[in-house]
């Protein structure tokens, strides 16, 4: 029989604390990501899109899906990155009707610099042992399923 604090409608105190801590981690990540992006004269959305493109060229529709936004928003972001020489459009070799957005060499350099400038990725995790980081990684992977 479930205790009053652990019913399906009311999580237990530990679960509530974990959810609160996850929320704080996410908020801190977004705050530092926005600061890092601004350090490169990018908006957060531009930095996220550039980071995706630094991994592989992607069609605009797939970028919109990954960023959870409208394709027209992606077009505007790619336009601004293209104007700065950080991204380019190219035909998809598999289907020339489809345009791929891709990071330029400069765009990949900026994306790498952006990742390296995130204090959040270094400082708090540096205080954890390798075993603790592995356990955290494994727990997060299980949560994300």
């Amino acid at each position: 029989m479930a205790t009053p604090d652990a019913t399906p409608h009311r999580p237990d105190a530990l679960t509530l604390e974990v959810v609160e801590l996850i929320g704080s981690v996410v908020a801190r990540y977004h705050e530092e990501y926005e600061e890092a992006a601004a350090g490169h004269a990018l908006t957060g959305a531009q930095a996220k899109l550039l980071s995706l493109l630094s991994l592989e060229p992607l069609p605009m529709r797939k970028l919109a899906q990954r960023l959870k936004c409208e394709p027209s928003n992606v077009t505007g972001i790619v336009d601004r990155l293209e104007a700065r020489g950080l991204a380019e459009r190219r035909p998809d070799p598999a289907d020339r009707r489809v345009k791929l957005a891709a990071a330029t060499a400069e765009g990949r350099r900026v994306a790498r610099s952006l990742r390296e400038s995130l204090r959040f990725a270094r400082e708090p995790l540096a205080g954890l042992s390798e075993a603790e980081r592995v356990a955290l990684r494994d727990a997060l992977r299980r949560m994300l399923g």
Side-chain angles (χ1 to χ4, degrees), residues 40 42 50 84 86 105-115:
H40 293 277
L42 297 169
L50 186 59
R84 290 189 50 194
L86 301 175
E106 177 64 9
R108 287 189 298 279
R109 187 196 65 73
V110 168
R112 184 175 50 256
S113 177
L114 177 67
R115 281 190 300 275

Side-chain angles (χ1 to χ4, degrees), residues 80-102:
R80 288 185 286 284
L81 291 174
E82 199 170 29
R84 290 189 50 194
L86 301 175
E88 63 186 6
R89 288 176 173 88
R90 52 173 88 140
D92 184 340
D95 183 349
R96 297 190 65 78
R97 296 170 296 174
V98 174
K99 289 286 186 194
L100 297 178

